[in-house]
């Protein structure tokens, strides 16, 4: 039985969607949660209230993870408030889709900076803390698009593929300190991000799923909870697809 009692988790992008589902799942297993969001304070406060109902501690923090300085300050604040960090989930992400021909340079940069550099910034900011503790769990949210590529998402696919390289490299750096670093590659999950897709793209995505259903945040949250738990203590550098068979 997975138990995260007394553990402190930081979940970036947990005001909504997959991050919120992960935050609630970790809290349901006993973890206190730092709820990190970009600008949606109201939604972040809702997540905090739902977590508190589960009898654990939660607090919302506004932070743009693409800034190393902001990430560093966030980590200092969370450690002061919670007494330490045991689990880091790098989930914050954005999309800015378009074919390469029409993709603006700033749209390429922004998607790399939030998804990939944001994960690097959070890992860099917690690195020493985890090293000193000689234990820790880092879970990065990649995507099946980072494995297979996707027309119209060169920026996003590059960022998500980069997250896989980041995960495996940091896993090798930290393994001897009892710190595991893994990635989850979700398929098509129902959230604000995918709700904004054109109807045709939604139909095509659903048609590509052998299990013939769209995934839910909870599907990803269950995997994140396992990776955060003692039960997964010998798994590191792994990329787990949670996609209903989409990327088989
Ligand atoms: P979402 O519903 O759009 O939520 C995005 C979350 O990220 C929000 O909490 C948002 O905060 C936060 N965020 C955005 N930019 C940020 C920044 N610069 N700094 C800090 N937080 C930031 O997205 P989602 O679908 O749940 O996706 C979550 C993760 O899963 C992303 O990394 C995404 O790429 C990945 N993923 C999703 C799918 C899918 O099908 N949905 C598939 C594969 C991978 P605010 O609420 O404050 O804006």
């Amino acid at each position: 039985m997975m138990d995260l009692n007394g553990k402190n988790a930081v979940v970036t992008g947990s005001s909504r969607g997959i991050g919120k589902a992960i935050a609630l799942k970790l809290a349901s297993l006993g973890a206190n949660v730092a709820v990190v969001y970009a600008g949606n304070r109201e939604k972040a406060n809702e997540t905090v209230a739902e977590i508190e109902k589960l009898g654990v501690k939660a607090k919302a923090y506004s932070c743009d993870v693409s800034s190393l300085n902001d990430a560093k300050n966030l980590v200092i604040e969370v450690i002061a408030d919670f007494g330490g960090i045991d689990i880091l989930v790098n989930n914050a992400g954005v999309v800015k889709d378009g074919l390469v021909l029409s993709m603006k340079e700033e749209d390429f940069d922004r998607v790399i900076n939030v998804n990939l550099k944001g994960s690097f910034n959070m890992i860099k900011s917690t690195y020493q803390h985890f090293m000193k503790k000689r234990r820790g769990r880092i879970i990065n949210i990649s995507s099946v698009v980072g494995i297979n590529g996707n027309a119209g998402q060169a920026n996003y696919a590059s960022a998500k593929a980069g997250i896989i390289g980041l995960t495996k490299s940091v896993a090798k750096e930290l393994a001897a300190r009892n710190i595991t670093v893994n990635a989850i590659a979700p398929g098509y999950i129902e959230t604000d991000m995918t709700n904004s897709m054109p109807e045709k793209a939604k139909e095509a995505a659903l048609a590509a799923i052998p299990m013939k259903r769209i995934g839910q945040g909870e599907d990803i949250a269950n995997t994140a909870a396992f990776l955060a738990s003692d039960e997964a203590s010998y798994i590191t550098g792994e990329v787990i697809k949670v996609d209903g068979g989409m990327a088989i």
Side-chain angles (χ1 to χ4, degrees):
M1 171 78 182
M2 290 187 285
D3 180 8
L4 300 178
N5 246 305
K7 298 277 195 287
N8 299 322
V10 177
V11 185
T12 67
S14 50
S15 44
R16 298 182 277 134
I18 292 171
K20 179 175 182 176
I22 293 172
L24 285 169
K25 181 69 190 182
L26 299 182
S28 76
L29 295 171
N32 305 307
V33 186
V35 173
V36 182
Y37 67 102
N40 213 328
R41 178 188 297 270
E42 206 176 305
K43 289 280 174 197
N45 285 339
E46 276 173 34
T47 306
V48 166
E50 286 180 48
I51 291 172
E52 283 173 342
K53 275 192 201 143
L54 297 168
V56 293
K57 183 176 165 172
K59 189 175 168 184
Y61 300 84
S62 158
C63 170
D64 180 353
V65 295
S66 71
S67 156
L68 177 59
N69 203 40
D70 286 10
K72 278 185 178 165
N73 288 333
L74 166 74
V75 167
I76 290 168
E77 223 184 304
V78 172
I79 291 172
D81 290 343
F82 287 74
I85 299 171
D86 304 285
I87 301 158
L88 167 64
V89 183
N90 288 310
N91 163 83
V94 290
V95 283
K96 287 185 185 295
D97 298 350
L99 298 175
V100 169
L101 190 64
S102 55
M103 187 178 285
K104 291 188 192 125
E105 186 183 2
E106 61 257 37
D107 289 348
F108 185 87
D109 290 347
R110 184 65 186 156
V111 169
I112 296 287
N113 285 341
V114 175
N115 293 275
L116 176 56
K117 190 166 166 245
S119 302
F120 166 80
N121 288 342
M122 288 301 298
I123 291 170
K124 189 169 173 64
S125 303
T126 48
Y127 199 98
Q128 265 189 321
H129 180 73
F130 283 135
M131 292 257 288
K132 274 192 203 142
K133 280 183 97 123
R134 291 191 160 271
R135 58 169 297 126
R137 292 280 192 276
I138 300 174
I139 299 158
N140 299 319
I141 305 301
S142 177
S143 167
V144 291
V145 164
I147 298 169
N148 284 357
N150 197 22
Q153 290 196 306
N155 49 1
Y156 184 74
S158 303
K160 293 304 188 183
I163 285 176
I164 293 173
L166 176 70
T167 300
K168 292 184 179 184
S169 303
V170 183
K172 285 184 176 178
E173 288 186 22
L174 294 177
R177 297 276 179 147
N178 198 28
I179 299 153
T180 68
V181 189
N182 292 289
I184 300 173
Y188 176 17
I189 310 298
E190 191 176 359
T191 67
D192 291 347
M193 187 180 274
T194 46
N195 284 340
S196 65
M197 279 161 50
E199 275 315 307
K200 272 201 169 165
K202 284 186 193 172
E203 281 165 25
L206 182 57
I209 303 172
M211 291 189 84
K212 295 293 168 216
R213 74 168 173 90
I214 301 171
Q216 298 299 314
E218 290 71 24
D219 293 311
I220 310 305
N222 288 333
T223 308
F226 169 64
L227 289 173
S229 73
D230 284 347
E231 281 79 353
S233 62
Y234 202 53
I235 300 173
T236 198
E238 196 52 67
V239 182
I240 302 181
K241 288 182 285 178
V242 182
D243 67 345
M246 199 177 188
I248 292 172

